[in-house]
């Protein structure tokens, strides 16, 4: 079972990256061997419906996503939506998302944009038949400090990690039964 934790913020002071790191640590504690992908280390061109798909980082990320069983995406919320870097990643890696278990962990300045993950969820469900974990981690800036996330957020991170792992395991059992 291969689990990716993708941190999509480019900000050096990213709150969503703190959440992603917590998620990665939680998955390790649960016995998984997640791969942490920090999109700052994979500069990508803007999707141009042409040559951008041949970019070496796009090719690397497409393969990592295709080979993963489950993916947890951590992203900042800007203007009531996911950030442009995440949208660009989805556009450039498209079909590699097919049939993945996907969970969301997002960070926002306040409580007003809690539905922001829904457009990304809809796209992944409808375009690529991803299984979206219906509970996501929504963290406000006030719930993150220098030591990490507050205890109530940590509980929600553990729940999301365990749920993603359970869904991935169930999907793998189902796929084996269908192939037999």
């Amino acid at each position: 079972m291969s689990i990716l934790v993708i941190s999509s913020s480019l900000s050096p002071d990213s709150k969503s990256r703190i959440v992603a790191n917590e998620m990665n640590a939680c998955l390790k504690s649960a016995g998984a061997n997640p791969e942490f992908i920090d999109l700052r280390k994979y500069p990508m061109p803007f999707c141009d419906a042409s040559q951008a798909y041949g970019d070496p980082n796009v090719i690397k990320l497409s393969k990592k996503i295709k080979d993963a069983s489950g993916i947890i995406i951590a992203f900042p919320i800007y203007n009531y939506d996911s950030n442009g870097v995440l949208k660009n990643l989805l556009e450039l890696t498209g079909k590699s998302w097919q049939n993945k278990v996907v969970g969301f962990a997002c960070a926002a300045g306040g409580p007003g944009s809690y539905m922001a993950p829904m457009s990304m969820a809809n796209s992944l469900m409808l375009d690529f038949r991803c299984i979206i974990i219906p509970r996501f981690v929504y963290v406000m800036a006030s719930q993150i400090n220098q030591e990490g996330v507050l205890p109530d957020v940590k509980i929600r991170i553990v729940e999301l990690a365990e749920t993603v792992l359970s869904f991935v395991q169930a999907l793998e059992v189902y796929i084996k039964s269908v192939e037999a």
Side-chain angles (χ1 to χ4, degrees):
M1 158 182 8
S2 171
I3 305 291
L4 297 179
V5 176
I6 299 175
S7 174
S8 70
S9 178
L10 301 182
S11 170
D13 301 321
S14 171
K15 304 282 190 225
S16 64
R17 187 173 309 101
I18 292 169
V19 174
N21 282 321
E22 292 276 352
M23 184 64 69
N24 197 52
C26 182
L27 287 163
K28 286 180 181 177
S29 294
N33 187 22
E35 180 176 355
F36 188 87
I37 295 177
D38 184 343
L39 291 183
R40 291 180 307 168
K41 297 178 181 175
Y42 294 89
M44 293 176 287
F46 287 118
C47 184
D48 63 359
S50 180
Q51 296 177 351
Y53 300 102
D55 180 81
N57 284 330
V58 171
I59 293 168
K60 284 179 201 169
L61 289 169
S62 293
K63 178 163 179 28
K64 288 177 183 291
I65 292 166
K66 184 176 181 173
D67 293 345
S69 304
I71 302 168
I72 298 175
I73 307 167
F75 60 92
I77 295 174
Y78 297 126
N79 198 28
Y80 300 95
D81 208 345
S82 59
N83 66 338
V85 174
L86 179 56
K87 292 175 188 177
N88 194 49
L89 173 70
L90 183 59
E91 290 291 332
L92 290 170
T93 57
K95 291 183 181 178
S96 61
W97 289 86
Q98 205 76 8
N99 299 314
K100 303 297 178 207
V101 173
V102 180
F104 298 113
C106 49
S113 53
Y114 65 93
M115 291 183 62
M118 296 312 298
S119 62
M120 184 64 59
N122 285 335
S123 178
L124 288 167
M125 282 189 302
L126 298 173
D127 294 338
F128 305 113
R129 301 296 183 238
C130 291
I131 297 169
I132 303 299
I133 303 303
R135 277 195 166 156
F136 53 87
V137 176
Y138 181 88
V139 184
M140 294 181 293
S142 62
Q143 296 173 305
I144 302 171
N145 58 37
Q146 291 179 348
E147 289 81 43
V149 299
L150 297 181
D152 65 314
V153 174
K154 185 90 165 190
I155 290 168
R156 291 184 282 137
I157 288 172
V158 168
E159 288 172 350
L160 178 58
E162 290 174 349
T163 303
V164 167
L165 291 174
S166 295
F167 271 71
V168 166
Q169 290 168 346
L171 186 59
E172 287 177 350
V173 168
Y174 172 74
I175 289 169
K176 286 180 184 173
S177 72
V178 171
E179 291 174 348

